[in-house]
Amino acid sequence: MVQSYLRHGPTQAFGLICSVSSNAHYDGKFAYVPALEDVLVWDVKKGQMATMWHDTGHRAEVTCIQHSPQVGTFAVGYADGSIRLWNAGADTVVSTFNGHKKAVTALAFDRQGTRLASGSQDTDLILWDVVGEAGLFRLRGHRDQITGIRFLDAAESQPSSSISTQNMLLTSSKDTFLKLWDLVTQHCIQTVVAHRAEIWAFDMDEERDLIFTGSGEGELKAWKLDRDALSEGLKKTESGEVAKIISPFSSLPLSSKHRVSQISFHPTSPFLAVQSHDRTVELFRIRTVEEVRKKQARRKKRAKEKEEKGIMKGKERSVNEQEQDDDESLPIALTDLFTPHVVVRANGKIRSFSFGPNDSKANMQLLASLATNALEVYTIPPPSKSKESLPEASRLYSVDIPGHRTDVRALSLSSDDRVLASASNGSLKLWNLKTAACIRTMDCSYAICSTFLPGDRHLAVGTKSGEILVYDLSSSALVQTVKAHTGTVWSLQVRPDQHMLVSGSADKDVKFWEYERTEAASENAQSGKSLSLVHARTLKMQDDVLSVRYSPNGKLLAVALLDSTVKVFYQDTLKFFLSLYGHKLPVLSMDISHDSKLIVTCSADKNVKIWGLDFGDCHKSIFAHDESIMQVAFEHNTHYFWTVGKDKLLKYWDGDKFENIQKLEGHHSEVWALALSHYGNFVVTGSHDKSIRVWEKLDEPLFLEEERERELEAIYEAGMADTLNREEGAPIGLDGAPQTIQAEATGVAKQTPDTLMAGERIMEAVTLADEERAKFQEYDQSIERASKQDRIKLQPPPKNPILGAYDISPEAYVLSIVEKVPNSSLYDALLVLPFGKVVSLMVYLNIWAQEGWNIPLTSRIIFFLLKTFHHQVVAHRVMRTSLIPLRKHLRAALQQQKVVTTYNIAALRHIQRRQELDRTAQFYEEGLDEEEVRTRITEGKKRKRISLKA
């Protein structure tokens, strides 16, 4: 009988407010922030999470978030190169785009929200059709990661019908280049070497045609965009040089010399915000030309007054300076136009910021997502004329309670598995595991280990400074600070009989502590008895103690030392019993099974060893992880155990058969802590990525052979996709990368396991339909050849069970399979088809065109196949018999579509004219003058958008 296990699966992740992998977006009420592979939507006023955008089965980190001009639509880029369009109202994925090979680093929509441009670490720039859900083309030219993208839409003061302006794209990259692309010709028309260091951010002021770029050296430069040269195109000047569209203008001094990581103009107010790579965001107020002129006039007036009073130290002014003063058209410097307004100082390192709309008091809001797993919203006051009160940014909201500021270093569960305690450097938090809500937050120093004390009313925390902190959980108070050790407390455990606590430290001591009930000394603690620790005895060791463990029967005590050995002592007399020797690096954690027969140790040498406690023999040594193994623990009442390591993995093992049962991926950084349910129902892990994840035992059985096959299939599919994505005909270099000069503009294609599966499904459907049609065609031919008497005896062949179940024809079945392929993956799925299947598919395309079935999809497939397989189609004689009727039927179907579309457009225009006539008549009925009516009609009534939720 093959042994089966129960599968574990991820159920919830909490403790994360925002991660540092991506930027954040703020709309005045909700903050859309990255949380590793998810996007969290926070109500910053309430400090509560409104919803989570989670795509099941997708584990790549969020690297970029961009809001679309279309209401409620967001584009989210991921570390695996995919882009997902999310509907914020329904929390669902609208479409998925796959084209990049590395993480998406920049996204931008055009003004209508119909096109999306994406840049990546693979240096490629891709333009996507959002409506058609397809990639238009790929642009190559940058040599390093793309850091910013911007469509050059026409400013409101300029005619927006300029075709040249609407089809221009501006990109920046870490290769120090600023590139201007013409999307019509699909080529770069100007390259500007903007900085000596990498360009990390840029933004554009459309009203003044100024482009600001920020470098890694803390330099902020301004560039002038020449709209006239942009509209005329590439033309030579009188000197014979090509007119430059982007030209250098000036630079703006910053208070910080750190890397400029974000530049952003406020969408409605005259403000520019620049964030350097530290805790500050500098805001500049953009003055109008009138204000600058007034300032120049005041400066000139003061200079004249100083001259009259003789403060100029006898220097006479030249005639040229006087003429310059008299001239009203003095050149305006960039520092006059952009004046420092206020500096926002956050409580931690700022990862990104986002402007919110102005509130009722005309104060501007700014959201800062911090690298310390927190969100802060600041109010920016308007400029004041009084010089006495300088404007200061004040913090309005803060979201920081639902998560730790630093790594989660220790986890412990209460005896009833309802409360989880997590500790980090600076805070200790209690969580309700049922609701994943943070119910207590207490200050603590650098925590390394923790454990619940008997009764679950107190918690002991071992710190890096050698102290043991005892907390009263009901009152959230620190009731005792024990100066236990002179080195780091690496391990704490309560003795199985609940009467003693043992601690192991880097000062080479193992100390035993008894409990004592005392009067509550703290004011915050509840009145009555409080638990405290009293030192009972000490066990001196020869090296640093990294872990201590009692055997469940209470007879033995195991101590792991820095010299890579484990010493086992009798618990009562502390006499030496066994020495477990075999690890090459120190044992970081260990655990003893419920029957006290096995001890499992994990080490920095990436191995797990299983020992017998009777004689100290090593049963098995397993190479378990690719990095150091941080913690190990036995499951309740079994010989199954769990390990976590720096390779971001959680693994489940059988301690009797020495087999890996399951490998669980989910964390995005090294896993520090592990806590097991006392009833064997779930596992909790804490990581450097500041998230806490719960993995519950499911009812689904797991067989080791099937699990290994599934892992091999995943590796094979990933390898197949990588092979297909390799540039065709490109020689492979020593590093495995294709070595060739690539075209500047190419098509967009990327094979993924999903597209491979979709292509295989189409092939299976075509094969099934061909067999069915051939079978019935043979039956029809035999009917024609047979006599009348034989025809009665001939029975029709049985219908395919699949077609019989759906009760559809073979042609309709193939169409139904093709329609299920997402539009964004259709072309990649068709590339999987061999040419033989393309010939068969052409027959079905002809039938679909003849019947008028889904003509838009039929046309897309025909044009793509003819473009892709052009050489084979031309050389294949049989294709002529398929293409001639296909041309006839498709033209007829498209003509019918054209008639329907023309009729619909005419009907819509008629409805529009009727609506305008009714509105004009309504204005005249109100008794307005003719001029007022015309102005009201041209302005139009702006309708307020509201979102309705069920």
Side-chain angles (χ1 to χ4, degrees):
M1 179 100 183
V2 178
Q3 183 176 356
S4 66
Y5 305 87
L6 287 178
R7 186 180 297 277
H8 286 74
T11 53
Q12 56 186 345
F14 53 91
L16 202 60
I17 299 171
C18 63
S19 57
V20 296
S21 58
S22 166
N23 62 307
H25 178 77
Y26 183 52
D27 62 4
K29 182 181 180 184
F30 295 110
Y32 303 86
V33 298
L36 301 178
E37 71 270 21
D38 303 326
V39 175
L40 301 184
V41 183
W42 289 95
D43 187 331
V44 292
K45 190 174 182 180
K46 297 179 181 177
Q48 297 176 352
M49 188 174 71
T51 185
M52 180 200 300
W53 299 351
H54 176 74
D55 192 6
T56 306
H58 189 248
R59 287 191 293 268
E61 273 187 293
V62 174
T63 54
C64 191
I65 300 174
Q66 181 66 35
H67 181 239
S68 169
Q70 302 289 336
V71 179
T73 302
F74 285 83
V76 180
Y78 294 87
D80 61 351
S82 63
I83 302 167
R84 282 165 173 74
L85 292 182
W86 287 87
N87 185 338
D91 301 337
T92 55
V93 178
V94 179
S95 58
T96 303
F97 299 135
N98 280 297
H100 291 290
K101 297 174 184 174
K102 294 183 180 179
V104 178
T105 53
L107 293 169
F109 283 97
D110 64 358
R111 181 162 289 183
Q112 290 76 29
T114 56
R115 292 181 299 174
L116 172 67
S118 64
S120 166
Q121 287 180 355
D122 61 8
T123 73
D124 289 350
L125 178 71
I126 298 180
L127 198 71
W128 306 91
D129 181 0
V130 175
V131 180
E133 298 184 5
L136 299 177
F137 49 85
R138 182 195 305 267
L139 297 173
R140 293 190 173 107
H142 282 294
R143 300 174 185 173
D144 207 336
Q145 169 184 327
I146 295 174
T147 55
I149 303 175
R150 182 71 185 267
F151 279 91
L152 292 189
D153 293 325
E156 294 181 359
S157 58
Q158 298 172 346
S160 60
S161 59
S162 173
I163 297 175
S164 61
T165 307
Q166 291 288 331
N167 288 294
M168 291 293 172
L169 196 67
L170 195 63
T171 60
S172 67
S173 169
K174 286 170 69 175
D175 59 7
T176 73
F177 293 157
L178 193 66
K179 282 181 176 283
L180 184 64
W181 303 84
D182 186 346
L183 299 181
V184 177
T185 60
Q186 300 178 15
H187 284 285
C188 175
I189 59 175
Q190 187 178 355
T191 299
V192 180
V193 182
H195 293 270
R196 290 176 298 176
E198 302 97 339
I199 303 176
W200 280 95
F202 88 96
D203 201 7
M204 183 177 175
D205 182 8
E206 292 182 350
E207 292 183 5
R208 296 159 190 82
D209 291 334
L210 288 176
I211 301 165
F212 283 84
T213 58
S215 76
E217 294 179 345
E219 191 179 16
L220 184 65
K221 282 187 179 180
W223 306 80
K224 190 70 178 176
L225 180 72
D226 190 348
R227 293 272 181 184
D228 296 333
L230 190 65
S231 58
E232 292 175 1
L234 296 176
K235 289 188 176 181
K236 290 187 177 181
T237 58
E238 296 176 356
S239 60
E241 296 180 355
V242 179
K244 292 184 178 180
I245 301 170
I246 300 171
S247 55
F249 184 64
S250 181
S251 61
L252 197 63
L254 297 175
S255 61
S256 171
K257 291 300 178 184
H258 291 83
R259 186 181 84 197
V260 178
S261 51
Q262 189 174 351
I263 303 171
S264 182
F265 282 91
H266 194 280
T268 56
S269 301
F271 285 99
L272 166 70
V274 180
Q275 186 245 317
S276 298
H277 202 62
D278 54 8
R279 298 188 174 197
T280 60
V281 175
E282 294 182 58
L283 269 86
F284 296 87
R285 183 169 66 88
I286 308 173
R287 289 175 168 162
T288 60
V289 178
E290 292 78 11
E291 288 177 329
V292 176
R293 294 297 180 200
K294 285 180 182 178
K295 186 178 179 182
Q296 288 178 345
R298 286 197 301 270
R299 191 181 300 162
K300 184 173 65 173
K301 186 179 178 181
R302 285 197 300 271
K304 284 184 178 180
E305 289 175 355
K306 288 180 181 179
E307 185 183 0
E308 291 172 0
K309 292 178 182 179
I311 303 177
M312 300 293 290
K313 294 181 180 179
K315 290 184 180 179
E316 295 183 359
R317 308 177 70 207
S318 65
V319 180
N320 293 334
E321 288 179 352
Q322 292 178 4
E323 290 177 356
Q324 191 178 4
D325 280 347
D326 295 336
D327 189 8
E328 291 183 359
S329 60
L330 287 171
I332 298 174
L334 192 69
T335 52
D336 293 334
L337 202 58
F338 292 84
T339 178
H341 176 53
V342 71
V343 176
V344 177
R345 289 181 172 83
N347 289 334
K349 198 174 184 180
I350 298 175
R351 168 56 179 87
S352 73
F353 69 88
S354 176
F355 281 115
N358 297 345
D359 58 17
S360 57
K361 298 177 182 177
N363 287 339
M364 187 169 60
Q365 291 188 7
L366 184 138
L367 170 86
S369 69
L370 307 183
T372 57
N373 194 27
L375 297 174
E376 292 179 347
V377 177
Y378 291 86
T379 54
I380 312 299
S384 60
K385 294 182 179 179
S386 63
K387 295 183 179 179
E388 296 177 359
S389 61
L390 294 174
E392 288 187 1
S394 59
R395 192 170 69 176
L396 186 62
Y397 308 120
S398 177
V399 183
D400 55 4
I401 291 177
H404 286 281
R405 304 284 76 75
T406 53
D407 308 8
V408 179
R409 291 305 302 262
L411 293 174
S412 51
L413 279 163
S414 61
S415 57
D416 56 2
D417 287 344
R418 292 184 180 181
V419 179
L420 173 74
S422 63
S424 68
N425 181 10
S427 63
L428 169 68
K429 291 181 181 289
L430 297 182
W431 306 85
N432 183 337
L433 270 181
K434 192 172 184 180
T435 61
C438 181
I439 53 179
R440 292 277 193 280
T441 299
M442 293 160 275
D443 294 332
C444 76
S445 55
Y446 201 136
I448 298 294
C449 55
S450 65
T451 181
F452 276 89
L453 296 180
D456 290 340
R457 294 185 178 182
H458 296 82
L459 186 79
V461 177
T463 66
K464 193 173 184 179
S465 58
E467 299 172 341
I468 296 179
L469 310 178
V470 181
Y471 289 88
D472 186 335
L473 303 183
S474 58
S475 60
S476 303
L478 175 62
V479 294
Q480 189 184 14
T481 300
V482 184
K483 301 288 184 181
H485 296 272
T486 57
T488 304
V489 180
W490 287 113
S491 183
L492 288 173
Q493 196 196 14
V494 178
R495 203 165 68 183
D497 61 4
Q498 308 287 313
H499 292 318
M500 189 171 282
L501 176 74
V502 64
S503 63
S505 168
D507 63 1
K508 306 179 183 179
D509 285 349
V510 177
K511 292 190 177 181
F512 301 86
W513 308 86
E514 293 179 346
Y515 309 125
E516 187 178 76
R517 296 285 175 179
T518 58
E519 295 295 332
S522 174
E523 296 178 359
N524 298 326
Q526 291 182 346
S527 60
K529 295 283 186 179
S530 179
L531 188 141
S532 63
L533 299 179
V534 178
H535 181 230
R537 54 179 176 170
T538 302
L539 176 62
K540 295 281 186 181
M541 303 302 296
Q542 297 297 319
D543 216 330
D544 294 13
V545 179
L546 299 182
S547 181
V548 287
R549 275 291 173 272
Y550 278 111
S551 62
N553 60 13
K555 292 181 179 179
L556 300 174
L557 174 70
V559 182
L561 301 178
L562 192 64
D563 63 3
S564 309
T565 63
V566 177
K567 310 290 186 188
V568 183
F569 300 88
Y570 290 106
Q571 182 272 133
D572 49 0
T573 61
L574 296 184
K575 284 186 177 180
F576 177 74
F577 174 52
L578 289 173
S579 179
L580 309 180
Y581 177 84
H583 282 289
K584 296 177 182 177
L585 289 174
V587 174
L588 302 179
S589 178
M590 59 185 175
D591 199 14
I592 301 174
S593 61
H594 68 287
D595 54 8
S596 302
K597 290 183 178 179
L598 293 180
I599 178 171
V600 60
T601 57
C602 67
S603 167
D605 63 8
K606 310 171 189 176
N607 287 306
V608 166
K609 289 183 184 290
I610 302 158
W611 317 75
L613 262 183
D614 295 333
F615 307 103
D617 54 325
C618 181
H619 290 181
K620 188 71 174 177
S621 180
I622 306 171
F623 183 80
H625 288 257
D626 294 331
E627 296 290 340
S628 299
I629 306 169
M630 302 309 300
Q631 208 162 336
V632 63
F634 272 107
E635 196 173 83
H636 176 68
N637 282 343
T638 65
H639 282 178
Y640 307 149
F641 62 91
W642 293 86
T643 57
V644 292
K646 285 187 177 180
D647 59 355
K648 313 171 190 177
L649 296 178
L650 167 69
K651 292 191 176 183
Y652 190 29
W653 304 86
D654 187 335
D656 292 326
K657 293 189 173 183
F658 319 122
E659 292 272 4
N660 178 215
I661 302 171
Q662 197 176 357
K663 180 172 67 175
L664 295 167
E665 299 175 355
H667 283 291
H668 293 264
S669 194
E670 52 260 37
V671 187
W672 293 116
L674 171 71
L676 262 65
S677 161
H678 293 89
Y679 303 100
N681 299 329
F682 60 86
V683 186
V684 188
T685 52
S687 169
H688 177 74
D689 60 21
K690 302 181 182 67
S691 69
I692 302 170
R693 295 177 184 261
V694 181
W695 316 80
E696 284 193 8
K697 185 176 285 186
L698 310 175
D699 294 332
E700 181 184 350
L702 180 148
F703 298 96
L704 295 180
E705 291 80 5
E706 292 180 0
E707 193 69 13
R708 297 295 91 80
E709 286 178 8
R710 187 181 286 108
E711 291 175 4
L712 289 173
E713 284 176 6
I715 295 171
Y716 173 74
E717 288 174 359
M720 280 284 294
D722 292 341
T723 304
L724 291 170
N725 290 327
R726 188 179 298 158
E727 298 290 338
E728 292 184 5
I732 304 302
L734 295 175
D735 56 351
Q739 307 290 323
T740 183
I741 299 173
Q742 298 171 335
E744 191 172 19
T746 58
V748 181
K750 182 186 176 184
Q751 293 294 345
T752 64
D754 292 336
T755 58
L756 293 175
M757 293 293 292
E760 289 177 1
R761 284 197 296 270
I762 295 174
M763 289 167 56
E764 290 174 359
V766 170
T767 303
L768 187 148
D770 284 347
E771 292 174 355
E772 189 75 2
R773 292 181 76 239
K775 189 166 57 176
F776 276 90
Q777 191 173 359
E778 185 180 347
Y779 170 72
D780 293 339
Q781 290 175 357
S782 59
I783 287 288
E784 290 176 1
R785 290 195 300 268
S787 59
K788 290 184 179 180
Q789 294 180 351
D790 294 337
R791 288 177 187 174
I792 300 172
K793 298 178 182 178
L794 288 173
Q795 295 292 328
K799 203 171 186 180
N800 189 287
I802 297 175
L803 301 178
Y806 289 108
D807 193 21
I808 54 175
S809 62
E811 299 84 5
Y813 174 69
V814 176
L815 178 61
S816 67
I817 294 298
V818 175
E819 285 177 335
K820 290 177 183 177
V821 180
N823 285 338
S824 55
S825 306
L826 179 62
Y827 292 160
D828 292 325
L830 292 173
L831 285 174
V832 179
L833 302 181
F835 185 67
K837 297 300 176 185
V838 172
V839 175
S840 300
L841 188 59
M842 283 289 188
V843 176
Y844 297 105
L845 291 170
N846 180 29
I847 297 171
W848 300 346
Q850 186 176 1
E851 298 291 337
W853 293 344
N854 203 338
I855 296 302
L857 178 65
T858 305
S859 304
R860 283 183 62 195
I861 296 174
I862 290 172
F863 298 145
F864 178 77
L865 292 179
L866 290 178
K867 184 171 66 174
T868 306
F869 298 95
H870 177 260
H871 297 296
Q872 293 95 322
V873 169
V874 171
H876 206 275
R877 292 184 178 181
V878 181
M879 292 298 296
R880 181 177 177 84
T881 57
S882 302
L883 291 175
I884 291 175
L886 178 60
R887 181 181 62 180
K888 174 186 173 184
H889 296 142
L890 188 62
R891 278 185 177 176
L894 290 174
Q895 189 66 34
Q896 187 178 0
Q897 292 275 329
K898 182 180 177 183
V899 171
V900 172
T901 306
T902 309
Y903 178 82
N904 290 339
I905 292 173
L908 289 171
R909 286 177 179 165
H910 173 69
I911 293 170
Q912 183 183 12
R913 287 194 295 270
R914 285 290 302 272
Q915 192 261 348
E916 289 177 355
L917 288 172
D918 293 343
R919 193 171 63 181
T920 307
Q922 180 184 359
F923 288 152
Y924 279 111
E925 288 174 3
E926 292 177 2
L928 301 175
D929 296 336
E930 188 169 350
E931 293 182 359
E932 293 182 0
V933 170
R934 291 183 183 279
T935 55
R936 290 281 291 275
I937 291 172
T938 53
E939 288 176 0
K941 290 187 176 180
K942 292 184 178 179
R943 295 177 294 176
K944 187 177 180 183
R945 293 184 179 273
I946 59 170
S947 58
L948 301 177
K949 290 187 177 180

